[in-house]
């Protein structure tokens, strides 16, 4: 929304949320206090805020004044009842739809920006049509978001495509056109594609499923590489040169994380089951299973290399975010790896350039709210590595490459090991210093 405001000074963008603390943070004078860390975002907010970008808790007024409303609430995996562990929880979407139905006036376009299961638009439309007064009429569009964290602003400035789905009626087509015109302020027309509602909703789930599948595929090969002496980076490079495969998203890792991949695949699995397609469901579920296997395998390799026990041993964890250039830890592979290591009674010292200490503790201990006694968090990498037997690289932060690895080596117990879950570092250079190096997908 900030980018829309920046690129379209003639459009008034009003962001409303019931969470007062979060809105206050978005309004903060100090741009370091914005709730989301994302390269370039602070500049965008600074430019548009106070001009045509507003943040407030005035939800009802926001609804009444709007011609177009983007529903952008979260749709986590359901944790209770029917579909628990797989289906998307649409509670927040429904609450939004009901509030909109109550307050909206005139012709209003509702845009599903949250990632939703196929045919959710139908439910939204039904709530709007039944619960609203005569003051308002609605069109529902689907406009999934394909940006990735860490590169969000670039992705929004130059998207591969913008997708707008709507009903193929006269009113539906007019609504689609309105939204297309907003994006056309900066996105070339040929990159803005329009489809029917269901194709649009399903395309988002499918895109994420395909991306995650590539990672699980290369991660499955990484296990085979470790067993055979092949090198997963060489294999990835060799296959990526085939133009039909392409070079991106072939980086083997300790496992994919983030708020989308697992949730969206499980949602796809649930939908497939729901529509009576168990073979399809099983096929996609395997992508998530392979990811769990990869995360578990990483810890097993550490334990095996450290003479089959890490009990009482200090392990420095470098990186906790689910990828570099973000402070987001949702579904980060680091959470599972840390828990597994603690289960083995290791003592962990975590360092991440952007993730605050409280969040590390909260993620590791789940919702129990208690700090695990085996975890400390350091403000810098050198402190985290002090006196450690091993270092586990879990996020590919650039700054880890620039560290003084001689200094780190001197401060560690010997033999000093590095387990590079991201194949980030120069392994030969580390071996010359004296480290034992274990790299993902390298025998
Ligand atoms: C993803 C999609 O890329 C984006 O289009 C969608 O809108 C939201 O979900 P995001 O979760 O922000 O974006 O990050 P992404 O860059 O896709 O990475 C997801 C995870 O996969 C990260 O943990 C990353 O480290 C991992 N990954 C990515 C790999 O392990 N190997 C790769 O080659 C690429």
């Amino acid at each position: 929304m900030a980018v829309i405001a920046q690129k379209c000074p003639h459009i008034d963008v009003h962001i409303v949320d019931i969470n007062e603390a979060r809105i206050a943070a978005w309004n903060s004078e100090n741009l370091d206090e914005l709730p989301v860390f994302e390269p370039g975002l602070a500049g965008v907010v600074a430019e548009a805020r106070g001009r045509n970008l507003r943040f407030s808790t005035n939800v009802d007024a926001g609804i009444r004044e709007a011609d177009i409303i983007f529903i952008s609430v979260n749709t986590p995996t359901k944790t209770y009842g029917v579909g628990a562990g797989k289906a998307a929880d649409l509670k927040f979407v429904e609450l939004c739809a009901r509030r909109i139905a109550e307050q909206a006036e005139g012709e209003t376009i509702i845009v599903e920006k949250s990632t939703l299961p196929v045919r959710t638009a139908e439910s939204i439309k039904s709530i709007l049509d039944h619960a609203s007064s005569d003051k308002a009429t609605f069109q529902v569009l689907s406009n999934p978001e394909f940006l990735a964290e860490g590169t969000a602003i670039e992705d929004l400035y130059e998207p591969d495509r913008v997708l707008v789905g709507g009903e193929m009626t006269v009113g539906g087509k007019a609504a689609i056109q309105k939204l297309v015109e907003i994006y056309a302020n900066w996105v070339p027309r040929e990159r803005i594609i329009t489809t029917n509602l269901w194709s649009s909703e399903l395309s988002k789930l499918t895109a994420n499923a395909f991306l995650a599948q590539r990672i699980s595929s290369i991660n499955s090969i990484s296990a085979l590489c470790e067993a055979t002496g092949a090198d997963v980076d060489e294999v990835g490079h060799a296959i990526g040169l085939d133009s039909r495969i392409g070079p991106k998203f072939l980086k083997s890792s300790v496992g994919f994380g983030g708020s989308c991949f697992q949730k969206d695949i499980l949602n796809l699995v649930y939908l497939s089951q729901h529509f009576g397609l168990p073979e399809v469901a099983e096929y996609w579920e395997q992508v998530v299973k392979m990811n769990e296997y990869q995360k578990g395998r990483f810890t097993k390799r550490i334990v095996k290399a450290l003479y089959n026990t890490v009990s009482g041993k200090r392990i420095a964890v470098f990186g906790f975010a689910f990828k570099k250039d973000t402070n987001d830890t949702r579904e980060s592979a680091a959470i599972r790896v840390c828990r597994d290591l603690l289960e083995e009674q290791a003592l962990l010292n975590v360092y991440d350039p952007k993730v605050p200490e409280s969040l590390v503790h909260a993620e590791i201990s789940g919702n129990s709210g208690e700090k695990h006694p085996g975890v400390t968090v350091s403000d810098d990498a050198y402190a985290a590595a002090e006196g450690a037997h091993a270092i586990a690289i879990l996020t590919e932060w650039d700054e880890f490459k620039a560290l003084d690895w001689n200094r780190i080596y001197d401060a560690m117990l010997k033999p000093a090991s590095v387990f590079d879950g991201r194949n980030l570092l120069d392994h030969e250079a580390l071996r010359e210093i004296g480290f034992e190096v274990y790299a993902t997908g390298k025998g």
Side-chain angles (χ1 to χ4, degrees), residues 145-149 204 208 211 215 249-251 253 255-258 260-261 322-323 396 422:
E145 186 48 67
F146 295 104
L147 69 79
E149 291 179 32
K204 168 68 187 186
N208 275 348
L211 289 168
I215 302 169
F249 262 69
L250 285 179
K251 186 91 185 113
S253 65
F256 61 75
C260 295
F261 283 173
F322 82 98
K323 66 182 207 182
E396 73 283 22
R422 296 286 184 166

Side-chain angles (χ1 to χ4, degrees), residues 216 256 262 265-266 282 284-295 336:
S216 276
F256 61 75
Q262 175 167 319
I265 293 176
L266 292 176
E282 249 172 67
W284 287 108
E285 194 162 17
Q286 198 57 36
V287 173
V288 173
K289 285 189 186 157
M290 184 51 64
N291 198 46
E292 288 304 316
Y293 167 73
Q294 187 74 354
K295 291 188 269 185
R336 161 84 193 270

Side-chain angles (χ1 to χ4, degrees), residues 20 50 94 136 148 191 194 224 229 241 249 333 335 351 377 380 390 409 420 434:
E20 286 181 17
E94 180 171 342
R191 294 216 195 146
T194 59
L224 204 51
L241 288 173
F249 262 69
I335 302 168
Y351 167 67
V377 178
D380 78 84
Y409 182 76
D420 190 348

